[in-house]
């Protein structure tokens, strides 16, 4: 009993130090206040049944960076979703899981998720709170079971205290865990790029950036409308399928032949930082992406709206690249709220 008391006391001291003594990581009520950026639509996920609090957000942050969610304690959410890459995965074409297993898709960025009507590149998840179940239980990623994750958390005294702080009892459940993760990822809002500051009248763009913006508005808004830079639709953009991956896209969910090789249109916010590109990471840089549209070598039953980009000149591509870089949001990328609380 004395040993248990000592462990419990040490855990309390650790928790207090973690939440109070380091101002960089301390989360306040203001930090978790949901602020809809001017010009943005109302979100799909509105937190009505999951009111953000500093304590729940803090729990979600620790869970996001903790490999305890994987079966061999080697993979965390942050392993694939890297903060500096707008929570995508720099340099890996496909996701990596336990024991070095390679997944079937490129890692999508995590930003402005509360405006998505469905998640995953095939649209297979329709609620932010249940999205983590997919990677946690996927045998190619974390290869775990929710019941086992809950058991591990219940036997970790630090987590018991974090759950108590967040939910006012020591009962650890998968629902609480998922709500905490939803608060952490749901508040990842990107809306302070140079483009945003230009729209707000705070700065001016240079001539190539302005030409790129005007070209973007004439060529790209069909799939990437402002301000979210995605229409949340599913499109086939004429990429030849990789037979080694054999990924049929949205058809995985609907079973419809018309949805074969269609993938959810990604947001272009922070696109400079989220390389490589496409659902299978086949393009290493944005120039290759633009060349795909400009060359017109489209495969299969593709979305005909992309044909307007055939024949883009090198100057036009450079202007588009200049504009796309204005979508990089350093305020978001370096936001202390989303930093790994265990980093030194």
């Amino acid at each position: 009993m004395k040993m248990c008391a000592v462990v419990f006391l040490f855990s309390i001291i650790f928790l207090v130090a973690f939440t109070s003594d380091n101002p960089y990581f301390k989360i306040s009520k203001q930090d978790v206040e949901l602020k809809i950026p001017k010009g943005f639509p109302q979100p799909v996920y509105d937190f009505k049944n999951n009111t953000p609090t500093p304590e729940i957000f803090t729990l979600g942050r620790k869970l996001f960076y903790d490999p305890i969610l994987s079966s061999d304690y080697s993979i965390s959410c942050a392993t694939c979703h890297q903060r500096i890459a707008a929570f995508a995965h720099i340099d890996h074409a496909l996701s990596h899981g336990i024991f070095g297993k390679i997944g079937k898709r490129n890692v999508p960025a995590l930003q402005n998720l509360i405006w998505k009507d469905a998640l995953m590149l095939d649209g297979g998840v329709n609620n932010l709170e249940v999205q983590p179940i997919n990677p946690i239980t996927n045998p190619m990623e974390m290869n775990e079971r929710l019941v086992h994750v809950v058991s591990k958390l219940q036997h970790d005294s630090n987590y018991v205290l974090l759950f108590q702080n967040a939910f006012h009892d020591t009962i650890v459940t998968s629902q609480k865990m998922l709500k905490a993760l939803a608060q952490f990822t749901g508040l990842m809002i990107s809306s302070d790029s140079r483009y945003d500051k230009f729209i707000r009248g705070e700065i001016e763009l240079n001539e190539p950036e302005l030409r790129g913006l005007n070209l973007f508005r004439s060529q790209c808004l069909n799939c990437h409308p402002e301000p979210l830079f995605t229409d949340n639709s599913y499109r086939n953009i004429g990429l030849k399928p990789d037979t080694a991956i054999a990924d049929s896209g949205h058809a995985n969910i609907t079973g419809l032949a018309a949805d074969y090789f269609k993938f959810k249109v990604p947001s272009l916010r922070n696109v400079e930082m989220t390389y490589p590109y496409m659902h299978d990471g086949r393009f290493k840089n944005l120039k290759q992406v633009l060349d795909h549209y400009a060359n017109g070598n489209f495969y299969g039953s593709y979305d005909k709206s992309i044909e307007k980009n055939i024949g883009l000149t090198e100057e036009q591509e450079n202007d588009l690249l200049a504009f796309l870089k204005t979508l990089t949001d350093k305020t978001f990328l370096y936001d202390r709220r989303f930093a790994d609380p265990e980093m030194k």
Side-chain angles (χ1 to χ4, degrees), residues 230-267:
T230 175
D231 66 351
N232 279 328
S233 67
Y234 303 89
R235 310 265 183 165
N236 180 339
I237 59 169
L239 296 172
K240 187 174 183 179
D242 185 335
T243 56
I245 296 176
D247 189 347
S248 58
H250 194 42
N252 285 331
I253 307 304
T254 68
L256 300 176
D259 288 329
Y260 269 87
F261 311 125
K262 288 184 177 180
F263 293 89
K264 198 164 187 64
V265 174
S267 171

Side-chain angles (χ1 to χ4, degrees), residues 2-184:
K2 288 184 179 180
M3 179 62 68
C4 291
V6 170
V7 171
F8 185 74
L9 179 60
F10 177 79
S11 298
I12 291 177
I13 294 172
F14 171 84
L15 183 61
V16 170
F18 174 78
T19 57
S20 301
D21 292 348
N22 191 333
Y24 184 83
F25 294 120
K26 185 174 175 60
I27 299 299
S28 68
K29 289 183 179 180
Q30 185 177 2
D31 287 330
V32 297
E33 181 182 348
L34 177 61
K35 300 173 183 176
I36 306 301
K38 184 177 180 180
F40 276 44
Q42 286 300 304
V44 176
Y45 183 88
D46 56 15
F47 292 102
K48 283 184 178 178
N49 297 314
N50 188 20
T51 303
T53 69
E55 294 79 14
I56 298 177
F57 180 95
T58 298
L59 170 61
R61 180 176 61 183
K62 182 166 175 60
L63 287 165
F64 185 87
Y65 283 100
D66 198 336
I68 197 173
L69 299 185
S70 62
S71 61
D72 66 350
Y73 293 80
S74 68
I75 302 293
S76 69
C77 303
T79 301
C80 289
H81 295 283
Q82 300 167 343
R83 177 187 175 209
I84 191 59
F87 297 97
H89 197 170
I90 289 176
D91 76 24
H92 283 176
L94 302 172
S95 63
H96 287 205
I98 64 164
F99 306 125
K101 292 181 179 179
I102 307 300
K104 295 176 61 175
R105 291 179 181 160
N106 186 21
V107 177
L110 302 182
Q111 54 186 344
N112 298 338
L113 298 179
I114 60 176
W115 284 279
K116 289 187 176 294
D117 57 353
L119 301 140
M120 313 295 289
L121 290 172
D122 58 13
V125 178
N126 63 7
N127 189 293
L128 184 62
E129 288 183 24
V130 299
Q131 191 281 329
I133 297 175
N134 190 293
I136 289 173
T137 61
N138 189 319
M140 303 299 292
E141 296 185 49
M142 295 180 170
N143 190 41
E144 250 303 9
R145 295 179 299 137
L146 287 183
V147 64
H148 192 213
V149 172
V150 169
S151 177
K152 288 190 288 185
L153 297 175
Q154 286 175 330
H155 287 85
D156 186 308
S157 59
N158 292 324
Y159 270 114
V160 170
L161 284 169
L162 286 168
F163 273 87
Q164 182 176 26
N165 263 17
F167 297 102
H168 309 296
D169 63 53
T170 58
I171 301 173
V172 178
T173 68
S174 59
Q175 182 183 39
K176 292 175 182 176
M177 176 188 74
L178 294 170
K179 283 183 177 295
L181 284 167
Q183 287 197 17
F184 180 69

